[in-house]
Amino acid sequence: MEPKKINGKWGFDFSYKNKRYRQQGFATKKEAKMVIEKILENPIKQQNKYAHLNFAQYFTLWVETYKEKYVTHKTYLRYFNALRKFLLYFGDNVRPNDVTQREYQEYINQLGEQYTLGTMKKDHQAIRACYEQAVYDGIAKRNPTFNARLESEIEDMPGHVKFMEDFEYEKLKEVIKEMNTPSGLFLFILHVTGARFGEVSNLRYEDFDFEKETIFIRGGKTINAKRTVELSYEDSKYIKEQIEALKINLNGTFLKRSNTAIKQHFRKALDNGDIKGHKVLHSLRHTHITYLIDKGVDDEHVSKRVGHANINITREFYGHRFNSSKEQSESVVKDILNSIENNDTP
């Protein structure tokens, strides 16, 4: 049970009383050996000494103990940014054993809607490493991050190109309507619902209720992804007419198209509409959300419409737009009150 030096750092990896203990990153052999001795002295105490801590408290202790002295300040801040996102989803008081493997995967799926794969990997690595230590310390029975699958819908691009201007978004809708192809119909549904690519791919004909002017989104990525989305009368009518005019086979997931095909149609629509800038397919979802916010739709309704796991996700990612909308509303209120005062007669 002697410490071993790996990649310039000391650590250990051994089993004792049917439990595996593994830890790396010690600056000296003496530090690693002291931890081994504590484990051998009282494994029960070693396992239970952190039992009163919630995840945020344990994560902070873990960073201060194993990371703060050995990483750059930028990396140190990145760990706590990962924690902030984790708590935003699971809540400030979540305990290590509260999170299941399925729930963590749903959290990762949610990150994939908002961040690039590179950012996701960094956040995941921080949470995963902390959970590995938590298992060894006995504060977590298992590591829910195990075997998590990371996929991102966001291409690596500057933040300012994730959204379209309102006039571009409105113009694009009219251009898409002129395409008269199955892929064009797919794009149109993405545009008017703010749904994810996979959600539209999985639509069945029975999910459309043209009398009530709604689409049932089957969801799948997050706990609140299953939902019913309202359509305008004109949009519902257009979808129904296109399905009939294009003579689409209505069996199964009748709209399913490859991601490549839809991206090609999207690029063609941008070119036809003379819409400049590096816009990507997921810009439709981002802009659908910001468009509704700018028109005064409240955050709770927007969150439910687009299937965010909780309202905090909507506020975190689009909060600046809500603030802008609020300021506009306050300005309108002032104008109304001023008009009343100016219209007073002596």
Side-chain angles (χ1 to χ4, degrees), residues 133-249:
Q133 185 64 46
V135 172
Y136 304 141
D137 283 340
I139 190 175
K141 294 180 180 178
R142 60 186 62 84
N143 187 346
T145 71
F146 173 73
N147 211 28
R149 182 174 180 179
L150 278 63
E151 293 181 358
S152 175
E153 299 179 14
I154 308 299
E155 295 181 30
D156 196 4
M157 57 183 180
H160 67 278
V161 300
K162 293 179 181 177
F163 311 97
M164 301 179 196
E165 297 296 334
D166 285 357
F167 75 90
E168 293 177 323
Y169 185 66
E170 293 166 353
K171 184 177 183 180
L172 184 63
K173 181 178 179 180
E174 297 308 311
V175 172
I176 291 173
K177 289 176 71 174
E178 296 173 357
M179 301 184 94
N180 295 314
T181 64
S183 292
L185 177 58
F186 192 108
L187 278 178
F188 183 82
I189 295 173
L190 285 176
H191 188 291
V192 300
T193 63
R196 306 170 178 93
F197 175 86
E199 292 174 335
V200 176
S201 292
N202 290 329
L203 285 174
R204 297 174 178 270
Y205 185 71
E206 56 265 30
D207 295 331
F208 293 82
D209 189 327
F210 295 111
E211 289 187 7
K212 294 183 179 179
E213 298 163 5
T214 62
I215 300 178
F216 174 68
I217 305 293
R218 294 173 177 268
K221 292 202 71 173
T222 65
I223 194 170
N224 291 327
K226 187 182 295 184
R227 62 201 185 276
T228 299
V229 176
E230 305 92 346
L231 299 171
S232 71
Y233 168 77
E234 290 298 331
D235 290 345
S236 179
K237 179 183 176 184
Y238 173 81
I239 292 172
K240 183 179 181 181
E241 290 176 346
Q242 280 290 291
I243 291 174
E244 294 173 351
L246 295 171
K247 298 180 180 180
I248 299 174
N249 188 324

Side-chain angles (χ1 to χ4, degrees), residues 267-279:
R267 177 52 54 190
K268 182 178 180 181
L270 292 174
D271 291 341
N272 290 346
D274 196 29
I275 298 173
K276 306 297 184 182
H278 180 63
K279 305 297 189 298

Side-chain angles (χ1 to χ4, degrees), residues 55-56 85-95 310 312:
F55 184 82
K85 295 174 187 176
F86 184 85
L87 298 180
L88 184 69
Y89 188 91
F90 290 106
D92 292 340
N93 295 318
V94 65
R95 304 184 73 82
N310 58 60
N312 289 334

